[in-house]
Amino acid sequence: MKEDRSGYTIWFDRGTPGIGYIDQTCIPGTYRVTMAYTPHELAGAIQVLAIRGAPALGVAGAYGVALAALCADAESIDSFLDTIKKDADMLRRTRPTAVNLSYGIDRVFGRIRQEKDVHLAKEAALAEADAVAREDEQMCRGIGETGNALIPNRCTILTHCNAGALACSTWGTALGVIRSAVAAGKEVSVYACETRPLLQGARLTAWELKEEKIPVTVITDSMAAMLMRKSMIDLVIVGADRITRDVVVNKIGTYMHAVCAKYHGIPFYVAAPLSTFDLTSSEIDITIEERDRDEIARWGGHITVPPDVSVYNPAFDPTPVQMITGIITEFGLLRLPDDWDRVTEQVSMADRIIRD
Amino acid sequence: MKEDRSGYTIWFDRGTPGIGYIDQTCIPGTYRVTMAYTPHELAGAIQVLAIRGAPALGVAGAYGVALAALCADAESIDSFLDTIKKDADMLRRTRPTAVNLSYGIDRVFGRIRQEKDVHLAKEAALAEADAVAREDEQMCRGIGETGNALIPNRCTILTHCNAGALACSTWGTALGVIRSAVAAGKEVSVYACETRPLLQGARLTAWELKEEKIPVTVITDSMAAMLMRKSMIDLVIVGADRITRDVVVNKIGTYMHAVCAKYHGIPFYVAAPLSTFDLTSSEIDITIEERDRDEIARWGGHITVPPDVSVYNPAFDPTPVQMITGIITEFGLLRLPDDWDRVTEQVSMADRIIRD
């Protein structure tokens, strides 16, 4: 039943039915494809970060609701919707900060609610989830095109965490820009920050770039500033988990890189799709997810922090939009707060398309 | 033969003879005291960072040369000096950036060279090494006194790596300031950056402060900037491995904290003894030690970076002296470059004392 779709991180298997995904907790030690057969199994995979990355979570949310629909046993449309709503809420709670997860969930659940018949609703759910996945790929290619125009030939780029193919359905956002620049014939080398505590940069970004034969060197997060001072970094590109009118919320450490890039006069770009923008919130409304103590305090069988010492483990940090040189999107380069009207316009256009 | 000297990190056992030390690779999992019976065993302990921290390396260098003297079998003073010089050079090569190691080695070797008789030289070596250890303790208390005057009551201090008792013979430099402030009745809480790659902050600083019942929370290095932005940090204190007229060289990540502290208007202090100052070098002369790939690329049995991906692992970074609010020394607070003349004066006074 397990099937590997080369180049893709997450996909839907209609036969089973189930959601196939590359288990990102195993890379770089092992490459393993796993299936989630229920929304609960999917929630578990999201919780342990076997599936992670903002756009991939959008696709996971969409396929998760489609899977909930296909698994639901209800006969009346009302009890059918009730069952799916419970699964959708359960999925949403796995990662409270990631707006894309909710985006994928809401897209498919919204589509289901337009149907009066359970069978038709199941078909519509799957079609909508497929559309989310397809759009994710188009979106990454679009971000790549926008970003490529900014990348000089023979440059060195710093990135943090993994905003690559593994964070999307394919291609990637920040790494999508690098892939597109390389595809356009440019020489690019990358410093990948390891990204504590879960090392997505060391494990995933390094693995992806190596597979693509793009030169990459891993450093600890704390080395980036020193490299900037030595003129070893030409620009910084990172992804985003949520963008509001005042801040970009991304993996913890992003703000530190933004401060250091500003201090050294180095351009700092964020690559993110439309679905990452949150029109209704500001920094003050956002709950920053705090993750488990043991992500920092243990490694394998060893303790790395004495047992009765506190640990603070926020998964993300907010960076004021004024500190960001530009946001690379599938509809062009944006500068915030000036271009916020363009964002609202694009989002309402996309909303109209979804409603039609 | 193994003996624990409570409160001390490193000491000399005349009976054996040998150098006793707390094995810092085992903390916080296990508290273990180990003996080095030869200069080679001591070099091994320094190499794997079982003994580390600039002032402790000074004491280790001093006791290492004393041990070399006691172990040396030569009858003529010339072949005796030759043997010790080889051991001294071997010890010096273990950590090329740490100026204190050379300071301790040179102090004792310089003293030995004043003697014409092997037996007297052995006695003098041990006495001189004991003096280095005693001065280290006095120095830490002096730094604590200077620093205490700068610490407001009810404040939160960020520190990086371990500049504590474990980095000295006892008390500590950066943590010595915190200890002195607490001893003076002030309420102080600490954020300890874990300090990748070897986690001296998570393992050692957290352990030391917990033992002293000083409130401490461990964070990843990449979180400090976010805490500064949220006004959760009142001041930063770190140690130093070498201070020249233009830069403070300290654990990798120090420069990043200095940039972020400057950006947020937070005082940034370095606590370091006289023996850390290097009057003859500038940044351009300093070799920054690059350590093993596996410190970043492996953990326990697991690989955390794909096998054929490069890793860059400098152990230290230089921070321009202009970015530092003040250097807390045993002879008062210094601001560089303005107070450089005071440094040269103090160092030449100390040199005169050594020669006398």
Side-chain angles (χ1 to χ4, degrees), chain A residues 194 196 202-203 210 217-218 222-223 225 229 252-253 255-256 263-264 283 299 304 306 308 310-312 318 323, chain B residues 194 196 202-203 210 217-218 223 225 229 252-253 255-256 263-264 283 299 304 306 308 310-312 318 323:
Chain A
E194 61 171 2
R196 281 287 288 157
R203 295 189 297 109
K210 185 205 67 174
T217 301
V218 172
S222 59
M223 289 170 193
R229 178 166 178 259
I252 188 75
Y255 176 64
M256 159 192 80
Y263 185 80
H264 294 92
E283 180 181 4
W299 200 308
T304 51
D308 34 8
S310 341
V311 168
Y312 178 51
M323 299 181 72
Chain B
E194 61 171 3
R196 282 286 286 156
R203 296 188 296 108
K210 187 206 66 174
T217 301
V218 172
M223 289 172 194
R229 179 167 177 258
I252 188 74
Y255 175 64
M256 160 192 78
Y263 186 80
H264 294 93
E283 179 181 5
W299 199 306
T304 52
D308 34 8
S310 343
V311 168
Y312 177 52
M323 299 182 72

Side-chain angles (χ1 to χ4, degrees), chain B residues 326-348:
Chain B
I327 301 179
I328 302 168
T329 73
E330 68 272 40
F331 55 95
L333 185 71
L334 296 177
R335 287 193 176 80
L336 295 186
D338 296 354
D339 290 333
W340 189 251
D341 288 348
R342 271 185 69 197
V343 175
T344 12
E345 190 187 307
Q346 289 291 340
V347 172
S348 49

Side-chain angles (χ1 to χ4, degrees), chain B residues 20 27 41 78 89 167 195 238 279 323:
Chain B
I27 290 174
E41 283 181 12
D78 286 345
D89 289 344
T195 316
V238 298
L279 297 191
M323 299 182 72

Side-chain angles (χ1 to χ4, degrees), chain A residues 5-219:
Chain A
R5 312 258 175 117
S6 185
Y8 287 82
T9 300
I10 180 166
W11 59 89
F12 201 90
D13 186 330
R14 283 150 198 275
T16 321
I19 296 166
Y21 60 92
I22 298 174
D23 183 346
Q24 299 187 39
T25 58
C26 302
I27 292 174
T30 315
Y31 175 84
R32 182 158 70 199
V33 163
T34 308
M35 296 292 292
Y37 296 109
T38 64
H40 272 95
E41 283 181 13
L42 180 68
I46 294 171
Q47 188 65 49
V48 299
L49 308 188
I51 303 168
R52 35 65 53 198
L57 288 174
V59 177
Y63 278 141
V65 175
L67 183 62
L70 292 193
C71 294
D73 226 7
E75 289 192 6
S76 83
I77 188 81
D78 285 345
S79 72
F80 175 73
L81 286 175
D82 273 358
T83 308
I84 298 169
K85 181 153 193 327
K86 273 186 201 121
D87 283 338
D89 289 345
M90 181 266 304
L91 285 169
R92 199 190 307 272
R93 278 193 303 272
T94 53
R95 300 296 305 275
T97 313
V99 70
N100 304 58
L101 180 63
S102 285
Y103 172 87
I105 290 169
D106 292 340
R107 272 271 304 256
V108 178
F109 192 62
R111 183 65 191 82
I112 289 174
R113 290 175 61 161
Q114 293 172 10
E115 298 295 333
K116 301 277 175 261
D117 170 271
V118 170
H119 179 72
L120 291 177
K122 290 185 179 191
E123 283 305 308
L126 200 44
E128 190 69 26
D130 275 338
V132 170
R134 225 170 27 240
E135 287 164 25
D136 179 74
E137 180 166 357
Q138 285 163 1
M139 163 278 282
C140 284
R141 304 276 177 171
I143 287 172
E145 243 171 76
T146 305
N148 175 35
L150 304 165
I151 307 289
N153 193 15
R154 296 203 184 109
C155 73
T156 303
I157 298 175
L158 180 85
T159 188
H160 189 71
C161 198
N162 175 262
L166 290 168
C168 305
S169 65
T170 186
W171 203 249
T173 54
L175 296 192
V177 171
I178 293 168
R179 276 193 171 87
S180 295
V182 170
K186 292 175 187 167
E187 279 178 42
V188 174
S189 63
V190 178
Y191 279 100
C193 292
E194 61 171 2
T195 316
R196 281 287 288 157
L198 294 178
L199 306 178
Q200 293 94 334
R203 295 189 297 109
L204 308 179
T205 295
W207 181 82
E208 268 195 40
L209 293 175
K210 185 205 67 174
E211 294 285 305
E212 299 270 328
K213 301 191 173 28
I214 298 169
V216 56
T217 301
V218 172
I219 56 171

Side-chain angles (χ1 to χ4, degrees), chain B residues 65-348:
Chain B
V65 175
L67 184 62
L70 292 195
C71 295
D73 227 7
E75 289 193 6
S76 84
I77 188 80
D78 286 345
S79 71
F80 175 73
L81 285 175
D82 274 357
T83 309
I84 297 170
K85 182 155 192 326
K86 274 185 201 121
D87 283 336
D89 289 344
M90 181 266 304
L91 284 169
R92 199 190 307 272
R93 279 193 303 271
T94 55
R95 301 294 306 274
T97 314
V99 70
N100 305 59
L101 179 62
S102 285
Y103 172 87
I105 290 169
D106 293 341
R107 271 272 302 259
V108 178
F109 191 62
R111 183 66 191 83
I112 289 174
R113 291 175 60 162
Q114 294 172 8
E115 298 295 333
K116 303 274 174 264
D117 170 90
V118 170
H119 180 73
L120 290 178
K122 289 185 180 193
E123 282 305 308
L126 199 44
E128 190 69 25
D130 276 337
V132 170
R134 224 170 28 242
E135 287 164 25
D136 179 75
E137 180 167 358
Q138 285 162 1
M139 163 278 281
C140 284
R141 305 275 177 171
I143 287 173
E145 241 171 78
T146 305
N148 174 35
L150 303 166
I151 308 288
N153 193 15
R154 296 203 183 106
C155 73
T156 303
I157 298 175
L158 181 87
T159 189
H160 189 70
C161 198
N162 175 263
L166 290 169
C168 305
S169 65
T170 187
W171 203 249
T173 55
L175 297 191
V177 171
I178 293 169
R179 276 193 171 87
S180 294
V182 170
K186 292 176 188 168
E187 279 177 43
V188 175
S189 64
V190 178
Y191 279 100
C193 292
E194 61 171 3
T195 316
R196 282 286 286 156
L198 294 178
L199 305 178
Q200 293 94 334
R203 296 188 296 108
L204 309 179
T205 294
W207 181 82
E208 268 195 38
L209 293 175
K210 187 206 66 174
E211 294 286 304
E212 298 271 328
K213 301 192 175 26
I214 298 171
V216 57
T217 301
V218 172
I219 56 171
T220 65
D221 306 332
S222 59
M223 289 172 194
M226 179 207 193
L227 266 58
M228 290 181 188
R229 179 167 177 258
K230 288 188 158 189
S231 308
M232 291 163 72
I233 306 294
D234 297 306
L235 69 159
V236 183
I237 312 180
V238 298
D241 289 80
R242 188 190 289 222
I243 303 174
T244 64
R245 58 171 66 239
D246 53 353
V247 288
V248 168
V249 178
N250 189 44
K251 177 60 55 190
I252 188 74
T254 300
Y255 175 64
M256 160 192 78
H257 293 310
V259 169
C260 294
K262 194 169 181 65
Y263 186 80
H264 294 93
I266 294 169
F268 186 94
Y269 292 103
V270 170
L274 191 58
S275 59
T276 314
F277 289 88
D278 173 354
L279 297 191
T280 57
S281 312
S282 296
E283 179 181 5
I284 203 166
D285 308 309
I286 297 173
T287 308
I288 297 283
E289 175 186 358
E290 283 186 39
R291 294 184 56 87
D292 200 68
R293 178 186 191 282
D294 278 359
E295 287 186 354
I296 294 177
R298 297 191 81 87
W299 199 306
H302 298 279
I303 61 162
T304 52
V305 175
D308 34 8
V309 167
S310 343
V311 168
Y312 177 52
N313 186 16
F316 305 95
D317 59 27
T319 299
V321 290
Q322 290 84 353
M323 299 182 72
I324 292 157
T325 312
I327 301 179
I328 302 168
T329 73
E330 68 272 40
F331 55 95
L333 185 71
L334 296 177
R335 287 193 176 80
L336 295 186
D338 296 354
D339 290 333
W340 189 251
D341 288 348
R342 271 185 69 197
V343 175
T344 12
E345 190 187 307
Q346 289 291 340
V347 172
S348 49

